Coordinates of all heavy atoms in Angstrom, one line a residue:
H807 N 10.6 -1.2 22.5 CA 11.8 -0.5 22.4 C 12.9 -1.6 22.5 O 13.2 -2.1 23.6 CB 12.0 0.6 23.5 CG 13.4 1.2 23.4 ND1 13.7 2.2 22.5 CD2 14.4 1.1 24.2 CE1 14.9 2.6 22.7 NE2 15.4 2.0 23.7
D809 N 14.1 -5.0 22.8 CA 13.5 -6.2 23.3 C 12.5 -5.9 24.5 O 11.8 -6.8 25.0 CB 14.5 -7.2 23.9 CG 15.4 -7.7 22.8 OD1 14.9 -7.8 21.6 OD2 16.6 -8.1 23.0
L812 N 6.5 -2.1 25.8 CA 6.0 -1.0 26.6 C 4.5 -1.1 26.5 O 3.9 -1.1 25.3 CB 6.5 0.4 26.1 CG 8.0 0.5 26.1 CD1 8.5 1.8 25.6 CD2 8.6 0.2 27.5
A819 N -11.7 10.6 29.1 CA -13.0 11.2 28.8 C -13.0 11.6 27.3 O -12.0 12.2 26.8 CB -13.3 12.4 29.6
L828 N -7.0 10.6 31.5 CA -7.2 11.1 32.8 C -6.4 10.3 33.8 O -5.8 10.9 34.8 CB -8.7 11.1 33.2 CG -9.6 12.0 32.4 CD1 -11.0 11.9 32.8 CD2 -9.1 13.5 32.4
V829 N -6.4 9.0 33.7 CA -5.5 8.1 34.5 C -4.9 7.0 33.7 O -5.5 6.6 32.7 CB -6.3 7.5 35.7 CG1 -6.7 8.6 36.7 CG2 -7.6 6.8 35.2
V831 N -1.7 3.6 33.7 CA -0.7 2.8 34.4 C 0.1 2.1 33.4 O -0.4 1.6 32.4 CB -1.4 1.9 35.4 CG1 -2.3 0.9 34.7 CG2 -0.4 1.1 36.3
A832 N 1.4 2.0 33.6 CA 2.3 1.2 32.8 C 2.2 -0.3 33.3 O 2.5 -0.5 34.5 CB 3.7 1.7 32.8
S839 N -4.6 -6.4 29.6 CA -4.6 -6.0 31.0 C -5.4 -7.0 31.8 O -6.2 -7.8 31.3 CB -5.3 -4.6 31.1 OG -6.6 -4.7 30.6
R867 N -13.2 -5.7 23.1 CA -13.4 -7.1 23.6 C -12.4 -7.5 24.7 O -12.6 -8.5 25.3 CB -13.3 -8.0 22.4 CG -14.5 -7.9 21.5 CD -14.2 -8.6 20.1 NE -13.3 -7.8 19.3 CZ -13.0 -8.1 18.1 NH1 -13.6 -9.1 17.5 NH2 -12.1 -7.3 17.4
I870 N -13.6 -7.6 29.3 CA -14.7 -8.4 29.6 C -14.4 -9.3 30.8 O -13.2 -9.3 31.3 CB -15.1 -9.3 28.4 CG1 -14.0 -10.2 28.0 CG2 -15.7 -8.4 27.3 CD1 -14.4 -11.2 26.9
K881 N -20.2 0.0 41.2 CA -19.8 1.3 41.3 C -20.7 2.3 40.6 O -20.4 3.5 40.5 CB -18.3 1.5 40.7 CG -17.3 0.7 41.5 CD -17.2 1.3 42.9 CE -16.2 0.5 43.7 NZ -16.1 1.0 45.1
D901 N -22.5 -15.8 18.5 CA -22.4 -16.1 17.1 C -23.7 -16.9 16.7 O -24.2 -16.6 15.6 CB -21.2 -16.9 16.8 CG -21.0 -17.0 15.3 OD1 -21.2 -16.0 14.6 OD2 -20.6 -18.1 14.8
G910 N -24.7 -4.0 7.8 CA -25.7 -2.9 7.9 C -26.9 -3.2 8.7 O -27.7 -2.3 9.1
H946 N -30.1 2.0 25.9 CA -31.0 1.6 24.8 C -30.2 1.4 23.5 O -29.1 1.8 23.4 CB -32.1 2.6 24.6 CG -33.0 2.7 25.8 ND1 -33.8 1.7 26.2 CD2 -33.2 3.7 26.7 CE1 -34.5 2.0 27.3 NE2 -34.1 3.2 27.6
V947 N -30.9 0.8 22.5 CA -30.2 0.3 21.3 C -29.5 1.5 20.6 O -28.3 1.4 20.3 CB -31.2 -0.4 20.4 CG1 -30.5 -0.8 19.1 CG2 -31.8 -1.6 21.0
W948 N -30.3 2.5 20.2 CA -29.7 3.6 19.4 C -28.6 4.3 20.2 O -27.6 4.6 19.6 CB -30.8 4.6 19.0 CG -30.2 5.7 18.1 CD1 -30.2 7.0 18.4 CD2 -29.6 5.6 16.9 NE1 -29.6 7.7 17.5 CE2 -29.3 6.9 16.5 CE3 -29.3 4.5 16.0 CZ2 -28.6 7.1 15.3 CZ3 -28.7 4.8 14.8 CH2 -28.3 6.1 14.5
W958 N -13.6 4.7 19.3 CA -12.5 4.9 18.4 C -11.7 6.1 18.7 O -10.6 6.3 18.3 CB -13.0 4.9 17.0 CG -11.8 5.0 16.0 CD1 -11.4 6.0 15.2 CD2 -10.9 3.9 15.6 NE1 -10.3 5.7 14.5 CE2 -10.0 4.4 14.7 CE3 -10.8 2.6 16.1 CZ2 -9.0 3.6 14.2 CZ3 -9.8 1.8 15.5 CH2 -8.9 2.3 14.6
S966 N -2.2 10.4 17.6 CA -1.6 11.7 17.6 C -0.6 11.9 18.7 O 0.3 12.8 18.6 CB -2.7 12.8 17.8 OG -3.4 12.6 19.1
G971 N 2.1 12.3 15.6 CA 2.2 13.5 16.3 C 3.5 13.6 17.1 O 4.5 14.0 16.6
R984 N 8.8 5.8 35.2 CA 9.3 6.9 34.3 C 8.5 7.0 33.1 O 8.2 8.1 32.6 CB 10.8 6.7 34.0 CG 11.7 6.8 35.2 CD 13.2 6.7 34.7 NE 14.1 6.8 35.9 CZ 15.4 6.8 35.8 NH1 16.0 6.5 34.6 NH2 16.2 6.9 36.9
V992 N 3.7 14.2 27.9 CA 3.2 14.2 26.5 C 1.7 14.6 26.5 O 1.3 15.3 25.6 CB 3.5 12.9 25.9 CG1 2.8 12.8 24.5 CG2 5.0 12.7 25.7
M1022 N -6.9 18.5 8.4 CA -6.1 18.1 9.6 C -6.9 18.0 10.8 O -8.1 18.5 10.8 CB -4.9 19.1 9.8 CG -5.4 20.5 10.2 SD -4.0 21.7 10.4 CE -3.6 22.0 8.7
V1025 N -6.0 18.7 16.8 CA -4.7 18.7 17.5 C -3.6 19.2 16.7 O -2.8 20.1 17.1 CB -4.3 17.2 18.0 CG1 -2.9 17.2 18.6 CG2 -5.3 16.8 19.0
H1048 N -4.3 32.5 28.0 CA -5.6 32.7 28.4 C -6.5 31.6 27.9 O -7.4 31.0 28.6 CB -6.2 34.0 28.0 CG -7.6 34.3 28.3 ND1 -8.0 34.5 29.6 CD2 -8.8 34.2 27.6 CE1 -9.3 34.7 29.6 NE2 -9.8 34.5 28.4
P1060 N -20.8 14.8 20.5 CA -19.3 14.7 20.3 C -19.0 14.4 18.9 O -19.7 13.7 18.1 CB -18.9 13.4 21.2 CG -20.0 13.3 22.2 CD -21.3 13.8 21.5

Side-chain angles (χ1 to χ4, degrees):
H807 177 73
D809 295 330
L812 306 177
L828 298 177
V829 289
V831 61
S839 61
R867 288 166 291 188
I870 57 175
K881 294 301 178 182
D901 190 40
H946 293 294
V947 178
W948 180 244
W958 187 253
S966 63
R984 292 182 178 181
V992 170
M1022 64 182 72
V1025 172
H1048 178 73

